[in-house]
Amino acid sequence: ISARELNDSSTEAGLITRTIFGHMMPFEKCTPLALRDLTLQKIHLRYSADTYCQIVDFRNVKNLRIYGCSGADSLFAAMCKSHLLPSRLETLEIKHDDNPENDLLGALDSFLKLVSGIKILTIDICYAKSLPECAGITRHGRTLRELNVHASKGDGEEDELVYDSDDFEKICRNCKSIEQLSCAFPPTTITQAASETFLGFEVSTPTSPPSLH
């Protein structure tokens, strides 16, 4: 079965959506599911505004995980609207290969600046031009407990992108409740004195997190 038939299109719901949620069609008239946990993996989300955004009441979702879903930027853009914006989101995990325009990164930045109260944030993006904006992370400074943020300009085999010192300091200063932090540090050497940028990261890092990577 081709991916085109399996996934939603601009004209109709795909085989996956029709099979699992066929009893709820037509989606524009159904009562959305009040799910607390939702994991979407390896499905196309380009037309999610006509399917998943009708099927699921995203305002109630507490744990959202999106892995390898093309068009995920469309879902994040839709969730930025007031009638879909999650009000109880505590966990957000996303692993994604972005497009040349970095549409996912842009939509994710906007979403993080609107939603509130995230406790666990995990972001892993390949083919990115930059890391997520620090403003979207520091917005959750009072609640954030675990932060894992990684991005690279290619498929992940090359060096990761690194926040500049000012942005990293802002994250550490505003997210005082972090218990686990995972991100790339500036390059340095173990056989010579550490680079100034690496030392700057060390100084900014929370002093006693239980887990630091």
Side-chain angles (χ1 to χ4, degrees):
I1 303 176
S2 67
R4 184 178 182 85
E5 184 179 354
L6 283 172
N7 292 285
D8 304 331
S9 70
S10 59
T11 56
E12 64 178 352
L15 182 60
I16 294 174
T17 311
R18 296 198 310 272
T19 300
I20 300 175
F21 304 106
H23 64 288
M24 300 177 69
M25 298 180 75
F27 298 138
E28 61 270 14
K29 296 183 180 180
C30 72
T31 300
L33 300 171
L35 300 179
R36 292 190 176 183
D37 293 79
L38 178 62
T39 299
L40 301 172
Q41 183 170 3
K42 294 184 178 179
I43 57 176
H44 297 184
L45 296 175
R46 177 61 58 203
Y47 305 102
S48 55
D50 297 324
T51 53
Y52 290 97
C53 291
Q54 305 280 353
I55 295 167
V56 177
D57 186 350
F58 281 92
R59 294 173 300 177
N60 292 316
V61 173
K62 293 182 66 175
N63 305 298
L64 178 61
R65 300 173 177 88
I66 301 175
Y67 306 132
C69 294
S70 62
D73 56 287
S74 296
L75 177 60
F76 280 105
M79 288 193 295
C80 286
K81 298 177 180 178
S82 58
H83 68 286
L84 290 175
L85 186 68
S87 60
R88 304 177 181 178
L89 191 63
E90 295 182 356
T91 300
L92 176 61
E93 297 182 10
I94 178 166
K95 182 175 177 60
H96 187 79
D97 290 350
D98 214 347
N99 60 19
E101 292 75 28
N102 276 182
D103 287 332
L104 182 279
L105 188 60
L108 178 62
D109 281 335
S110 297
F111 177 74
L112 289 174
K113 293 174 186 176
L114 290 173
V115 74
S116 300
I118 293 179
K119 296 180 179 179
I120 301 174
L121 179 60
T122 300
I123 301 172
D124 187 353
I125 304 178
C126 291
Y127 304 104
K129 295 176 182 177
S130 64
L131 285 156
E133 293 181 15
C134 71
I137 295 174
T138 57
R139 175 178 173 81
H140 308 275
R142 290 186 298 175
T143 56
L144 201 60
R145 298 292 183 273
E146 296 181 19
L147 175 62
N148 306 280
V149 54
H150 299 272
S152 61
K153 292 185 177 181
D155 60 3
E157 294 298 322
E158 63 291 299
D159 290 342
E160 290 187 26
L161 296 171
V162 179
Y163 278 112
D164 65 42
S165 298
D166 289 341
D167 284 345
F168 184 73
E169 183 181 357
K170 289 177 183 176
I171 291 173
C172 294
R173 185 174 65 248
N174 288 279
C175 303
K176 297 181 179 179
S177 299
I178 282 183
E179 299 171 357
Q180 177 174 304
L181 172 64
S182 177
C183 67
F185 268 46
T188 191
T189 175
I190 61 173
T191 59
Q192 300 176 11
S195 64
E196 290 186 9
T197 52
F198 185 89
L199 290 173
F201 267 54
E202 277 193 322
V203 172
S204 299
T205 302
T207 55
S208 58
S211 179
L212 177 63
H213 302 287

